Amino acid sequence: MTSEATDRRTPGREVATMTIIDPPIQKTSTVETALLAARTRIEVKREELTEAEQRRSDLAVVLRAEFKGSRTYINGSIAHRDALNPLSDVDLGVVVPDPEGKYGPGKKGPSELQERAANAIQQLRSKYPDLRVEYKGRKRSILVRFGDPVTPGQPDFTADVIVAIDNPTGAGLYIPSYDRWDRSHPEKHTELVQQANAATKKSFSQGTRLMKHWNRKHDRPICSWNIKALALAVILRPISMTDYIRTWLDYAIDELDKGETQDPACVAGPIKMNKTKTEVLQYLRDGRDIFKRALQLEAEGYPILALNELAKFFRDEEVMPRPNQDDVRAMEAQRIKSMNFGAPASAATSASTTSLGERINTRSWSC
């Protein structure tokens, strides 16, 4: 469809006209449609998010009352808008003022502050009778067990509470590491993720949710924050779920092959992998091979086979159901027959471009 745009500000004056050509309508592919459906299945219900946020708010109120002049910050999957169903926990931090400089590396450790925080949280038993608080022997967080799940059918709902102090000589915070302190910048992490969600019109959090689910179903080779830290460098604009997964896998394999992921806030140390580098790369490469095969099969005109590969990719029948296997066998026979007649297979889109043929840019962290 075209239209003529003419400058009509000066009557009787001849001006140039411009033809506007409407962009072609992009048809959603079979793979993309399936990914959008899977994304919906793993989203947390609004009422469950509201309940989790209320519990986080309750914790914040008693912690700020205990530590006068403190501030709280939110972090983790709920703050980042990439929480998975079933919803199991929430994250919160409290930054305690230290005007006399008693705490920090080479000074007092965090245990005294953690004990005060834990005792303050116990006040919430009037609202949550089965609440329990654990902090001794834990590396970083105070663990709060509510004894009351947010998602029906789950055993419990918990909160991880970090007691932190400001770093007076550098960026970020000091957070507990058993009886010592580590540097981190969780407030900056949340800011970066929220900026990415805005810049990509939520496709950052939506694609991240899919990769977190894939990670969960493959024995968690890397932590959720590692997924997001890698995505921050490469998911920079609105993008389809197909392009998110393809782009993220290619980038993650390249980067993790070089070594551990650097902290996007340039404060904490590199992000540790949950398994050996060799094991992590094998999981990711196997996943990429399956996902690319799904895209190739769809490009060749075999959507049922593509969906079958997606089911293998996610390893979760509830999130990505397998198509009818009789249909799969019939279409595979059709594909083999076509190959025997020498019909060339159409090439899948290059991994360095989107489905629209646009090259994906990346951001480099300079720490």
Side-chain angles (χ1 to χ4, degrees), residues 9 34 41 142 146 148 166 188 195 246 273 290 315 322 331 360:
R9 290 172 296 178
R41 294 183 188 110
I142 298 169
F146 284 90
D148 180 19
D166 279 309
K188 185 65 175 180
Q195 288 173 348
R246 175 172 42 196
M273 302 182 215
I290 295 171
R315 291 184 179 177
R322 290 192 307 162
M331 186 162 281
I360 297 294

Side-chain angles (χ1 to χ4, degrees), residues 191-347:
E191 178 187 337
L192 289 170
V193 171
Q194 290 176 342
Q195 288 173 348
N197 286 336
T200 64
K201 297 182 179 178
K202 300 182 182 179
S203 55
F204 182 96
S205 60
Q206 292 167 346
T208 295
R209 190 179 294 119
L210 285 170
M211 284 313 307
K212 284 174 59 177
H213 188 77
W214 175 90
N215 189 59
R216 182 164 67 179
K217 292 298 179 178
H218 289 77
D219 204 22
R220 292 182 170 88
I222 60 176
C223 69
S224 295
W225 173 235
N226 205 343
I227 293 173
K228 286 180 267 195
L230 289 162
L232 283 170
V234 72
I235 308 300
L236 309 179
R237 58 176 178 75
I239 194 171
S240 69
M241 296 300 95
T242 303
D243 287 331
Y244 181 110
I245 294 175
R246 175 172 42 196
T247 302
W248 187 91
L249 284 168
D250 282 335
Y251 183 77
I253 290 167
D254 287 346
E255 290 301 304
L256 293 175
D257 193 31
K258 299 172 188 174
E260 295 172 332
T261 308
Q262 297 301 307
D263 174 22
C266 300
V267 171
I271 304 169
K272 303 294 183 185
M273 302 182 215
N274 292 339
K275 297 183 180 295
T276 67
K277 176 178 160 181
T278 300
E279 290 173 320
V280 170
L281 289 173
Q282 191 63 57
Y283 274 108
L284 294 175
R285 286 171 177 151
D286 288 348
R288 180 173 66 176
D289 287 347
I290 295 171
F291 193 74
K292 285 190 173 182
R293 178 169 168 78
L295 298 182
Q296 180 68 42
L297 287 166
E298 180 173 36
E300 292 175 5
Y302 303 106
I304 293 176
L305 299 184
L307 293 176
N308 199 51
E309 294 301 310
L310 278 187
K312 295 177 186 177
F313 178 78
F314 280 103
R315 291 184 179 177
D316 188 338
E317 287 278 328
E318 293 183 1
V319 169
M320 185 64 70
R322 290 192 307 162
N324 182 286
Q325 292 302 291
D326 289 337
D327 294 339
V328 169
R329 285 186 286 271
M331 186 162 281
E332 179 62 23
Q334 177 186 339
R335 189 181 75 90
I336 293 172
K337 182 179 179 181
S338 176
M339 291 172 61
N340 289 338
F341 278 94
S346 57

Side-chain angles (χ1 to χ4, degrees), residues 101-109 165-168 174 180-183:
K102 293 181 180 180
Y103 303 95
K107 303 175 185 179
K108 279 188 176 183
I165 57 173
D166 279 309
N167 180 352
Y174 284 119
R180 298 186 297 277
W181 299 93
D182 278 344
R183 290 190 66 191

Side-chain angles (χ1 to χ4, degrees), residues 118-179:
N119 289 337
I121 292 169
Q122 301 280 7
Q123 299 171 32
L124 293 175
R125 280 186 174 166
S126 59
K127 184 173 182 178
Y128 307 103
D130 296 323
L131 182 142
R132 290 178 293 144
V133 183
E134 303 171 16
Y135 72 95
K136 292 182 179 180
R138 293 180 57 80
K139 181 177 181 179
R140 295 209 189 280
S141 68
I142 298 169
L143 178 64
V144 182
R145 299 184 184 276
F146 284 90
D148 180 19
V150 165
T151 301
Q154 295 303 300
D156 201 356
F157 182 78
T158 64
D160 286 310
V161 177
I162 296 287
V163 179
I165 57 173
D166 279 309
N167 180 352
T169 61
L173 307 174
Y174 284 119
I175 64 173
S177 178
Y178 294 112
D179 59 348

